[in-house]
Amino acid sequence: MFSVPAIISMCVNAFYNIVDRYFVGQGVGALGIAGITLCFPIMLFIMAMSMIIGVGGNTLFAIRLGEKKYQQASIILNNSFVLLIIMALGAFILGEIFMDPLLRIFGASDQTLPVASSYMRIILLGAVFQTIAPGMNHFIRSMGHPKTAMLRDIVGAITNVLLDWIFIIKFHWGIEGAAWATLIAQFTSSLLIMQFFMKKSTPVKINRRHLHLKLPYVRKIFILGFPPAIMQICNSLMNAILAWSLSNYGNKSLQATSTMTGGDIAISAFGIINSVVAIAVLPLMGFVQGTQPILGYNYGAKLFDRVRGTIKFAYIYSLAFMFIAWITLQWKAELFVAPFAPNDAYMQDVAAWGMRIFTKAFLFVPLGMVAGNFFQGTGKAGISMFLNACRQVIMLIPFLLVMPLFFDLQGVFMAQPMADIGAGIAGILLLRWQLKKMR
């Protein structure tokens, strides 16, 4: 019951990522997927800036609502709105100045640089919508409207997919069509969100009197919002290192074609792998996060047998789900990658080969994920953040730097399963330690 809304939201995101890359693969080709993959670090950084304001402002906002200090809550909401716009303008200006050098550092070749920069320049035009939509959605949830926030996310995802089909397949706009589809979808989500804050029934609204920034509130928003955004910033850094590694070792290991270098092929193959893997990992995250309120309630009530039962339940079903996903991807990898690279047998072979390596340790993913969710749900956010960082940063980045020195491109794809194994073992050990204390 608790898992259903989270699973729906995660599945929508997974579906959107799959379909978006599918249309790019069908209408633009592998070069388009490589170009979008190169833009990931920049887009993730913009999302991190939105998270700082959205999470930090919403935390302070929720506290003031609980204290019934509605005027202060209004000031915090409006200051957060202004800060999201400022963050977007900063991202636009810096992106326009440093975009091409950054894309080159990430591994863009002469073939992929025009594609990636064309896509990113249009995305940056809508940077303000990219910060407002996710940032202001936090406040809608705090005012007791989680379904409203979810529906706005779903509308944005459906709009993006529909416009992808129109712009890329019907109008043949290429990579620019994919970018305009994303921009318009984010604009639509932002418009719906702003409409919510303009309604008479909304308890705290966008108010011109409170739009001017007040430094004490701004300072608190950044202090509260920066720690949760660290992971997203590190994720941006990790994706930058990953793109560089794929480009560097792909050029050494793969045969170039008439239109793509070996590095371009490796980057495109990873973009395909990442999209397919999302359909397995994101629903799992939704299911695991759905157990969090049950864990928190029973832990707080000292009903430790129920806590253990919930953990056991989460492990059984998440491991069963991941076992099915692991068997399916290992057995039929070619079937899943083919729609993203039609008429390109070589790309399909590379992507299928990489996917089998990338998902080798899939069964270790729930081990760390369930443990991290337990610590988050029981108020031990520091340990939870450590376990999440193990898989995404602490172990993954060193493996990304070291493994390719011995195994070239294969080592790049091996880095993730090695990090999954390490994070899974760490999660089990920390969870056993905590369960022993609960006796």
Side-chain angles (χ1 to χ4, degrees), residues 135-173:
M136 297 302 289
N137 242 358
H138 290 288
F139 296 92
I140 296 178
R141 293 187 184 96
S142 282
M143 283 189 275
H145 298 275
K147 289 182 180 179
T148 301
M150 183 186 73
L151 285 173
R152 278 154 175 74
D153 286 338
I154 292 173
V155 168
I158 292 173
T159 302
N160 202 333
V161 170
L162 181 62
L163 292 179
D164 272 336
W165 176 72
I166 295 172
F167 293 164
I168 300 174
I169 305 300
K170 292 298 181 182
F171 291 175
H172 305 289
W173 286 2

Side-chain angles (χ1 to χ4, degrees), residues 396-415:
L396 183 54
I397 289 179
F399 279 129
L400 271 176
L401 297 173
V402 174
M403 296 297 287
L405 298 177
F406 300 96
F407 302 102
D408 291 330
L409 182 61
Q410 184 178 354
V412 179
F413 290 114
M414 287 171 63

Side-chain angles (χ1 to χ4, degrees), residues 28 49 142 187 271 277-278 335 352 436:
V28 183
M49 297 301 101
S142 282
F187 169 75
V277 167
L335 180 66
K436 286 180 180 179

Side-chain angles (χ1 to χ4, degrees), residues 16 20 23-24 119 122-123 155-168 173-188:
Y16 155 68
D20 190 53
F23 282 126
V24 171
Y119 179 83
I122 296 171
I123 293 296
V155 168
I158 292 173
T159 302
N160 202 333
V161 170
L162 181 62
L163 292 179
D164 272 336
W165 176 72
I166 295 172
F167 293 164
I168 300 174
W173 286 2
I175 198 69
E176 289 87 357
W180 281 114
T182 299
L183 189 152
I184 294 171
Q186 290 169 347
F187 169 75
T188 303

